[in-house]
Amino acid sequence: MTLVLDGAAMARELLNELRGRVAQLAQRGIRPGLATVVVGDNPASKVYVRNKMRSCGDVGVHAEVRQLPGDASQADVLQTVEALNARTDIHGMIVQLPLPRAIDAQRVLQAIAVKKDVDGFNWANLGALVDGHPSLAPCTPLGVMRMLDRARLPVEGRHAVIIGRSSIVGKPLALMLIARGATVTVCNSKTRDLAAFTRSADILVAAAGRAKLVTADMVQDGAVVIDVGINRLPDGKLAGDVDYEAVKSKASAITPVPGGVGPMTVAMLVANTVSAAERLNPS
Ligand code: GUN
């Protein structure tokens, strides 16, 4: 029997745990606050932002959106970030990606205060992760690690193969898996004979952004398959990077899309916001 890793249920469990920490902060008059800066009106971003707001609301975390027009200047965006950096009632901040092309995304992301960088994209936070001392780390890789742990799937000594080398998912996840003693291979869209690598994976993570890239012949019997992809098909449905039905029969554990890694990413963002509020207000 293949274990289906229910990200929605695991996310609910994590949010329940966070309620207790939010209550403790409330006793000290502190309500964690998350600000999301959105520039323009990317339809996918709207869905993500709505989900983030709802999850924050569920556990008593204040959430607000600073919506800027699509033609906002770099200076406008930087000013918005600086203003949020200065607010004591905002403990976490994210700038929703993608940003319009006219905006230098790196300059904006690096302007977020390190202690409020709940996406974990700031170079200071990424550097801490490289050295095995993370404080605020990217939410999707954190969510993947939590799913593996909740399902008691061993990591140490296992061969983990990641398809995707982004700074948001592939690279930070590789660092987290390395820290836990996995042997890690990071592939990308140009990897020659990708299947030769994926077939040797005990843990296979697909984060390439290509629908049904991972087919059953690319998966070793009994592998753990984690699907980070969220692709919109021409018929409007969502599909991961994994050919779910075919791969499920070979995997020992697999994440569905939707209802897998996605909800965990959102829950981890709320967790990072609560952690940031605790660290900014040491008792
Ligand atoms: N857009 C898609 N994923 C993400 C994410 O993890 N963080 C931000 N800020 N924007 C995104």
Side-chain angles (χ1 to χ4, degrees):
M1 263 295 280
T2 308
L3 175 66
V4 175
L5 301 172
D6 184 344
M10 290 187 194
R12 277 195 299 275
E13 181 193 87
L14 173 56
L15 291 172
N16 266 331
E17 286 172 27
L18 292 173
R19 278 197 189 94
R21 286 164 62 189
V22 171
Q24 288 206 328
L25 284 165
Q27 284 181 359
R28 297 163 51 211
I30 298 155
R31 184 178 189 206
L34 171 70
T36 300
V37 179
V38 181
V39 186
D41 58 354
N42 180 303
S45 290
K46 279 195 177 142
V47 178
Y48 294 141
V49 170
R50 203 184 315 131
N51 290 341
K52 291 169 186 175
M53 303 280 292
R54 191 189 306 135
S55 293
C56 282
D58 279 353
V59 298
V61 168
H62 166 74
E64 65 184 58
V65 176
R66 300 302 306 273
Q67 175 73 56
L68 301 186
D71 61 358
S73 69
Q74 174 96 17
D76 293 337
V77 181
L78 286 172
Q79 252 173 29
T80 303
V81 168
E82 292 299 345
L84 292 166
N85 279 343
R87 273 178 55 184
T88 52
D89 61 332
I90 292 295
H91 309 93
M93 183 196 331
I94 64 170
V95 175
Q96 188 65 31
L97 302 175
L99 284 169
R101 289 162 60 120
I103 307 286
D104 179 348
Q106 270 310 331
R107 253 197 87 192
V108 171
L109 295 177
Q110 302 313 316
I112 297 174
V114 173
K115 289 186 168 179
K116 297 189 178 186
D117 169 38
V118 285
D119 253 336
F121 296 164
N122 192 287
W123 292 331
N125 284 320
L126 288 172
L129 183 61
V130 171
D131 205 26
H133 299 283
S135 53
L136 291 171
C139 302
T140 300
L142 281 176
V144 171
M145 296 307 295
R146 173 134 179 149
M147 291 181 93
L148 293 171
D149 289 343
R150 298 313 284 180
R152 298 180 191 280
L153 297 166
V155 171
E156 192 177 51
R158 304 304 196 274
H159 184 203
V161 175
I162 303 168
I163 313 171
R165 57 175 160 169
S166 72
S167 299
I168 297 181
V169 182
K171 276 189 275 191
L173 179 59
L175 293 166
M176 291 177 197
L177 288 163
I178 288 168
R180 293 283 300 277
T183 302
V184 180
T185 302
V186 182
C187 301
N188 62 71
S189 59
K190 302 203 172 60
T191 298
R192 283 193 289 161
D193 198 1
L194 178 63
F197 292 97
T198 60
R199 271 189 219 115
S200 73
D202 303 307
I203 301 168
L204 177 59
V205 182
R210 263 183 48 200
K212 300 191 178 182
L213 169 71
V214 176
T215 48
D217 58 305
M218 296 169 69
V219 177
Q220 166 172 234
D221 270 327
V224 172
V225 179
I226 307 287
D227 191 349
V228 180
I230 302 180
N231 306 291
R232 183 78 60 184
L233 298 177
D235 66 4
K237 287 190 182 147
L238 288 183
D241 287 1
V242 175
D243 184 357
Y244 181 79
E245 288 305 331
V247 169
K248 188 179 167 203
S249 55
K250 287 185 96 174
S252 62
I254 190 166
T255 64
V257 175
V261 175
M264 285 304 290
T265 296
V266 177
M268 280 299 170
L269 178 67
V270 184
N272 272 353
T273 303
V274 174
S275 297
E278 289 167 345
R279 288 196 199 115
L280 284 163
N281 297 281
S283 47

